[in-house]
Amino acid sequence: MRFIPLMLSLSLAAVSGCALITAPDTSGESAAPRLAMYVMNGLSKTIDEVDLATMKVKPSVLSTGLYPNQLLTLGKLTYLVNSGDHNVVKLDLRARKTLDTFNLTNGSNPMTLQIIEGNKALVVNYVSADVAFVDLGTKTVEATLKLDKGQPGGGVAIANGKAYVAAVEATYGPAPDYVTTYSFSGIHVIDLATRKVAKTITFDAVDANPLNVSASPDGQIVVGIKDGLAFIDPATDAVAATLSFGAQIGSVQYVSATKAFGSFYGGLVSFDPSKRAVLRGSEQAIAVDGAGAFKIFRNAAYVTNFGKDTVTVVDLATEAASGSPIPVGDGPQDLTFVTAD
C-alpha cells in the first residue's frame, strides 16, 4: 500500500461525510483481554483489538466514521474523533460498543480533542481553523474561537490555565511530490478563562511546521518542529530553547522528569526535558518500522506505520524493537490502551 503523507490525509479530511458509526455483531465472541491495545485504522475505518499478553489481533471489533483522527481514553471511556463526519464518538472499547455521538458543526473537520477539566474539552478544527470549547456531558459547543493565522492540526497542551495549539499556514502542491510552501508556523496561546488568544508565538523559520504539542513533567511546553524540538516557557510564552535532531519530530512521550522519547520517520530519539539535553540522537535512534502515532504503555513504546499497516513494539528497558511488527488494519493512525482494572 502506498504511504499517504500527513498533509494529504489532512486535505482528505476536508471532504464532508455523514456516515454513521456502527458496531459489528460481536455476540458469542470472547471477552476483551485484561490488557489490550486498540488501533484505529483510517483507511479501513476500523478499530482492531490487540491482546498485549499474546500479541494476537482481533480485527475490526468496531467501525469508525469517515477520516478518523484520534482515540483518547479516559478511565473506562474512549473518545473517537472523526474529521469527515464532524463528530466525537464515545466508546466502551472493552465492551466493543458505541455509547453516544456528539455532532459538531458541519465543515469543522475536528482533528484532536483535549480534556480541560471534567467534561470540559477543547476540540481543534482543521478546516474551519478554530477551536471549540465543548461540554462532553451535555454535548454542547459552549464557544468557538477563530484563529487569525494558520490551520491547527496536532495535539494540544494544557498548562497554567492556558492551551497551546500549533498552527501552520501553507499551500500544498499536487501529487506525486506534494511540495509544501509555508507562510506561517506558530503556536497560539489561548487563555482558558477568557477563551481568547493571549499570544501567538511565531517561529523564526516559517517552515518550522510545528506538530504535536505536549507538557513535560516540569511544566515546559514541548513542540515537535522540522529539525527537532522547541521548548516554550509558560511563564513568558516564548521559545526558551531548541534541540536539534536533524529530523522532524512528531509525537513526544515522557517516561520521567529526566527522560522522554520523540518519534521521527524510521526511529525514536530520546532527551532529558529537565536539562533540555539530547540523550539519543537521530544517528543513534531506536529503529522502528516507519513512524506514525507513538504511545508508551507499561515500559514499552508502540509506533504505527500507516504505509505498512503495522505497529512496532519497542522494549524501553533494552531500547530495541521487540519481535516483529504487529500486522493491523489498513492505515493505522492512532492507538490507545485499556485495562480490566
Side-chain angles (χ1 to χ4, degrees), residues 17-46:
C18 57
L20 297 176
I21 305 296
T22 58
D25 182 6
T26 57
S27 58
E29 293 186 2
S30 59
R34 291 192 59 81
L35 295 177
M37 173 172 66
Y38 292 87
V39 182
M40 181 192 76
N41 305 305
L43 295 183
S44 59
K45 296 187 290 186
T46 59

Side-chain angles (χ1 to χ4, degrees), residues 198-231:
K199 185 176 181 179
T200 295
I201 304 167
T202 303
F203 289 102
D204 292 337
V206 72
D207 59 346
N209 191 23
L211 295 177
N212 287 309
V213 186
S214 61
S216 68
D218 61 358
Q220 299 177 86
I221 304 303
V222 183
V223 187
I225 55 176
K226 73 167 185 176
D227 189 51
L229 295 169
F231 293 81

Side-chain angles (χ1 to χ4, degrees), residues 18 36-37 96 100 160 275 341:
C18 57
M37 173 172 66
R96 303 167 185 151
D100 203 358
N160 292 357
K275 296 180 179 178
D341 302 329

Side-chain angles (χ1 to χ4, degrees), residues 70 112-114 124 152-159 162-168 186-189 201 203 209-216 219-225 229-232 248-254:
Q70 182 191 27
T112 57
L113 177 150
Q114 178 62 272
V124 173
V156 175
I158 305 291
K162 296 175 286 189
Y164 294 79
V165 180
V168 170
I187 304 292
H188 295 291
V189 184
I201 304 167
F203 289 102
N209 191 23
L211 295 177
N212 287 309
V213 186
S214 61
S216 68
Q220 299 177 86
I221 304 303
V222 183
V223 187
I225 55 176
L229 295 169
F231 293 81
I232 295 172
Q248 173 87 51
I249 300 299
S251 298
V252 170
Q253 295 281 297
Y254 301 92

Side-chain angles (χ1 to χ4, degrees), residues 74 79 115-121 136:
L74 300 168
Y79 294 94
I115 297 297
I116 298 172
E117 185 179 10
N119 285 324
K120 306 293 184 179
L136 296 172

Side-chain angles (χ1 to χ4, degrees), residues 11-329:
S11 65
L12 286 174
V15 180
S16 297
C18 57
L20 297 176
I21 305 296
T22 58
D25 182 6
T26 57
S27 58
E29 293 186 2
S30 59
R34 291 192 59 81
L35 295 177
M37 173 172 66
Y38 292 87
V39 182
M40 181 192 76
N41 305 305
L43 295 183
S44 59
K45 296 187 290 186
T46 59
I47 296 175
D48 296 340
E49 181 182 84
V50 182
D51 186 331
L52 292 180
T54 64
M55 292 302 176
K56 291 184 178 180
V57 180
K58 183 179 287 293
S60 306
V61 296
L62 281 167
S63 297
T64 72
L66 185 63
Y67 311 137
N69 278 297
Q70 182 191 27
L71 283 178
L72 176 65
T73 296
L74 300 168
K76 296 181 179 180
L77 298 176
T78 298
Y79 294 94
L80 163 67
V81 179
N82 292 303
S83 183
D85 287 335
H86 320 289
N87 63 23
V88 176
V89 179
K90 185 188 295 185
L91 304 172
D92 182 339
L93 290 175
R94 292 195 58 79
R96 303 167 185 151
K97 289 182 179 179
T98 296
L99 302 178
D100 203 358
T101 299
F102 176 15
N103 293 311
L104 301 168
T105 304
N106 192 43
S108 58
N109 297 89
M111 295 297 292
T112 57
L113 177 150
Q114 178 62 272
I115 297 297
I116 298 172
E117 185 179 10
N119 285 324
K120 306 293 184 179
L122 192 70
V123 177
V124 173
N125 297 315
Y126 176 75
V127 172
S128 57
D130 58 36
V131 294
F133 295 85
V134 304
D135 187 317
L136 296 172
T138 60
K139 298 195 297 182
T140 56
V141 176
E142 296 180 338
T144 300
L145 175 62
K146 183 74 173 179
L147 302 178
D148 62 351
K149 284 187 177 181
Q151 289 177 290
V156 175
I158 305 291
N160 292 357
K162 296 175 286 189
Y164 294 79
V165 180
V168 170
E169 196 168 282
T171 58
Y172 308 100
D177 298 323
Y178 305 105
V179 175
T180 304
T181 303
Y182 293 91
S183 55
F184 167 77
S185 288
I187 304 292
H188 295 291
V189 184
I190 300 171
D191 186 315
L192 295 177
T194 63
R195 296 178 174 176
K196 294 181 179 180
V197 175
K199 185 176 181 179
T200 295
I201 304 167
T202 303
F203 289 102
D204 292 337
V206 72
D207 59 346
N209 191 23
L211 295 177
N212 287 309
V213 186
S214 61
S216 68
D218 61 358
Q220 299 177 86
I221 304 303
V222 183
V223 187
I225 55 176
K226 73 167 185 176
D227 189 51
L229 295 169
F231 293 81
I232 295 172
D233 182 349
T236 61
D237 287 332
V239 176
T242 59
L243 275 185
S244 177
F245 288 99
Q248 173 87 51
I249 300 299
S251 298
V252 170
Q253 295 281 297
Y254 301 92
V255 176
S256 68
T258 58
K259 190 163 191 180
F261 290 86
S263 64
F264 72 99
Y265 191 81
L268 298 179
V269 296
S270 61
F271 64 99
D272 182 337
S274 66
K275 296 180 179 178
R276 302 169 182 164
V278 174
L279 299 176
R280 182 189 284 268
S282 55
E283 293 182 356
Q284 297 81 37
I286 304 168
V288 298
D289 192 18
F294 163 46
K295 302 286 178 65
I296 288 177
F297 180 72
R298 298 198 172 186
N299 206 37
Y302 298 82
V303 186
T304 66
N305 185 317
F306 186 90
K308 293 184 179 180
D309 306 331
T310 59
V311 177
T312 298
V313 184
V314 175
D315 184 336
L316 294 183
T318 62
E319 296 197 354
S322 175
S324 300
I326 304 168
V328 292

